[in-house]
């Protein structure tokens, strides 16, 4: 049972959710969300289990063969299972859902159906509720992402995947005063190539904003317990497992924002590929700011949630699960939603995010005028 949401809310928050929601009973095998149908409801699992899957089109012989074995026209790949205490559909709050994903009841389940419209209005009007709710969502999505990322172990990735430019969207969720606080309380650093910023299984003591340069995210091919990893140097019999790169990060990335849940340990290794410049913010300073500034907390945890959703999408692609992605060689069908298609609002937000990031770079350049000039992101 996952208690992230309930443990993060006040009694008044729970009373409000009860007042606007209704109980929905679903049977095993019942579909709650499928394909491109527009869903306007979030579900809190009171009892039972659901699974999120992605249909695999039978456009090649291998897919068709497995579809025949499954006695189905469409072969599905399960992404992740969710259970009591977890939310389904929270991605709707960020207009960033996988349009081709399917949510199905894995057992007879009882759900609390929360209308999206009422919830969004509550988030917009009640800042304290917004901070608590987005924090719970950020933790839940981050933990869900860790589970999906774990599937990458021992999986041979054919190519390096770069992080989506949409990582900059996080800056669109923050305001100018938030960026200003980060500049004043962060530590501008030049990180040498091959420096390890985070090590899997060890505490993440800082949050980094990658201002310039490149970093690599790697994952050990064999899972180890955190204690084994942390104290490996004391054990001469300990064999270091090989790692593989799962994604390359570029400037604009926020690193180390995830470990704010039950575990504060890094789930991956992050290493600079070349001399890079970062803004490092100590964990204790950030934690104090989140505690004292409700507005900042709400905006920050919304940004973290958005990052987790985008990284979830990237991980789905890394796993090789078929997604509906637009290719420049194909005609863009107006009637078909693509997983990488951006709405006008998100495009506007990306422009705003880029402007804020550029402003941060200019401010840091002024404060550190003895350093080399920054390259400013365009467009």
């Amino acid at each position: 049972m996952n208690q992230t949401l309930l443990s993060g809310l006040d009694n008044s928050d729970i009373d409000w959710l009860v007042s606007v929601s209704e109980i929905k009973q679903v049977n095993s095998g019942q579909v709650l969300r499928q394909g491109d149908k527009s869903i306007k409801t979030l579900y809190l699992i009171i009892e039972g289990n659901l699974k999120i899957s992605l249909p695999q089109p039978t456009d090649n012989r291998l897919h068709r063969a497995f579809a025949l074995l499954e006695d189905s026209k469409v072969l599905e790949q399960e992404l992740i299972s969710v259970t009591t205490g977890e939310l389904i559909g929270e991605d709707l709050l960020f207009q960033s859902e996988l349009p081709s994903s399917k949510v199905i009841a894995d057992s007879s389940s009882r759900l609390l159906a929360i209308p999206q419209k009422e919830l969004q209005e509550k988030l917009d009007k009640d800042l304290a509720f917004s901070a608590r709710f987005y924090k719970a969502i950020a933790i839940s999505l981050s933990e869900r992402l860790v589970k999906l990322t774990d599937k990458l172990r021992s999986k041979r990735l054919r190519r390096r995947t770069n992080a989506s430019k949409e990582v900059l969207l996080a800056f669109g969720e923050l305001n100018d005063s938030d960026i200003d606080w980060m500049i004043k309380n962060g530590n501008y650093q030049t990180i040498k190539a091959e420096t390890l910023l985070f090590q899997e299984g060890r505490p993440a003591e800082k949050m980094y904003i990658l201002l310039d340069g490149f970093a690599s995210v790697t994952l050990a091919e064999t899972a180890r317990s955190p204690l084994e990893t942390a104290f490996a140097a004391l054990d001469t019999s300990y064999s270091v497992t090989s790692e593989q790169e799962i994604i390359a990060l570029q400037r604009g990335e926020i690193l180390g924002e995830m470990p704010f849940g039950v575990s504060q340990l890094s789930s991956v290794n992050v290493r600079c590929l070349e001399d890079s410049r970062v803004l490092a913010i100590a964990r204790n300073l950030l934690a104090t700011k989140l505690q004292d500034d409700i507005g900042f907390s709400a905006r920050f945890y919304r940004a973290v949630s958005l990052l987790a959703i985008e990284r979830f999408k990237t991980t789905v692609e890394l796993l090789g699960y078929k997604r509906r992605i637009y290719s420049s060689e194909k005609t863009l069908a107006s009637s078909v939603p693509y997983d990488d298609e951006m709405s006008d609002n998100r495009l506007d937000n990306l422009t705003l995010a880029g402007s804020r990031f550029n402003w941060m770079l200019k401010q840091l350049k002024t404060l550190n005028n003895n350093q080399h000039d920054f390259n400013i992101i365009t467009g």
Side-chain angles (χ1 to χ4, degrees), residues 341-353:
E341 185 177 359
M342 296 184 68
S343 66
D344 290 340
N345 287 339
R346 285 172 69 77
L347 285 171
D348 291 340
N349 196 26
L350 183 58
T351 300
L352 175 62

Side-chain angles (χ1 to χ4, degrees), residues 30-307:
Q30 185 172 339
V31 176
L32 284 105
R33 172 173 161 186
Q34 181 168 7
D36 310 321
K37 294 182 180 179
S38 178
I39 303 297
K40 300 298 181 183
T41 304
L42 287 79
Y43 296 103
L44 172 63
I45 305 174
I46 298 176
E47 182 181 19
N49 299 280
L50 305 178
K51 64 180 180 181
I52 305 172
S53 62
L54 208 60
Q56 305 293 287
T58 55
D59 54 359
N60 61 50
R61 291 181 180 179
L62 187 60
H63 283 151
R64 288 197 296 269
F66 277 104
L68 287 173
L69 290 174
E70 295 285 338
D71 192 24
S72 172
K73 293 181 180 179
V74 179
L75 185 66
E76 294 180 357
Q77 178 66 58
E78 181 177 336
L79 297 181
I80 198 167
S81 60
V82 287
T83 187
T84 303
E86 295 190 70
L87 278 172
I88 282 289
E90 64 271 54
D91 49 353
L92 298 173
L93 297 172
F94 306 91
Q95 299 180 341
S96 187
E97 68 273 15
L98 287 173
S100 52
S101 61
K102 178 179 180 180
V103 178
I104 186 172
D106 209 21
S107 64
S108 179
S109 306
R110 286 195 306 139
L111 312 174
L112 185 69
I114 309 169
Q116 180 191 357
K117 181 176 180 294
E118 284 80 355
L119 177 58
Q120 189 62 64
E121 290 176 351
K122 177 70 170 177
L123 289 168
D124 292 340
K125 294 178 180 178
D126 190 336
L127 198 58
F129 172 81
S130 180
R132 293 189 291 269
F133 194 82
Y134 278 131
K135 179 180 180 179
I137 287 183
I139 293 172
S140 177
L141 289 174
S142 296
E143 292 173 345
R144 195 173 296 176
L145 175 60
V146 169
K147 292 180 182 178
L148 187 66
T149 302
D150 196 57
K151 290 187 176 185
L152 292 172
R153 296 188 194 276
S154 301
K155 183 177 180 61
R156 288 298 167 191
L157 306 179
R158 297 180 180 177
R159 59 186 176 85
R160 169 184 289 184
T161 299
N162 294 326
S164 167
K165 189 177 180 181
E166 290 192 25
V167 297
L168 276 177
L169 284 170
F171 287 91
E173 300 297 331
L174 304 174
N175 62 25
D176 292 345
S177 64
D178 300 332
I179 303 296
D180 188 55
W181 180 88
M182 291 181 178
I183 292 172
K184 292 179 178 177
N185 290 272
N187 183 15
Y188 170 81
Q189 299 175 351
T190 298
I191 306 294
K192 294 295 183 181
E194 297 305 315
T195 299
L196 197 63
L197 296 179
F198 298 106
Q199 183 174 350
E200 185 179 353
R202 287 200 170 192
E205 298 178 341
K206 296 179 182 179
M207 183 182 81
Y208 295 95
I209 299 174
L210 188 58
L211 304 173
D212 198 14
F214 292 90
S216 174
V217 179
T218 63
L219 192 67
E221 293 185 356
T222 302
R224 299 275 192 176
S225 74
L227 285 176
E228 280 184 304
T229 304
F231 298 104
L234 298 177
D235 186 359
T236 56
S237 65
Y238 180 86
S239 59
V240 179
T241 60
S242 58
E243 301 173 5
Q244 67 167 328
E245 183 183 60
I246 59 177
I247 196 167
L249 307 176
Q250 305 178 44
R251 59 182 180 177
E253 267 282 0
I254 299 177
L255 314 172
E257 84 292 343
M258 278 177 49
F260 275 81
V262 176
S263 172
Q264 298 179 3
L265 306 179
S266 177
S267 59
V268 293
N269 305 296
V270 180
R271 179 181 286 101
C272 288
L273 296 176
E274 62 182 32
D275 290 356
S276 305
R277 283 170 289 187
V278 301
L279 184 66
I281 303 174
R283 182 183 183 85
N284 62 332
L285 286 177
L286 183 57
T288 300
K289 177 68 172 176
L290 289 167
Q291 179 69 33
D292 296 342
D293 189 335
I294 294 177
F296 175 80
S297 180
R299 293 185 293 272
F300 177 83
Y301 283 120
R302 179 177 166 84
V304 171
S305 300
L306 182 58
L307 284 174

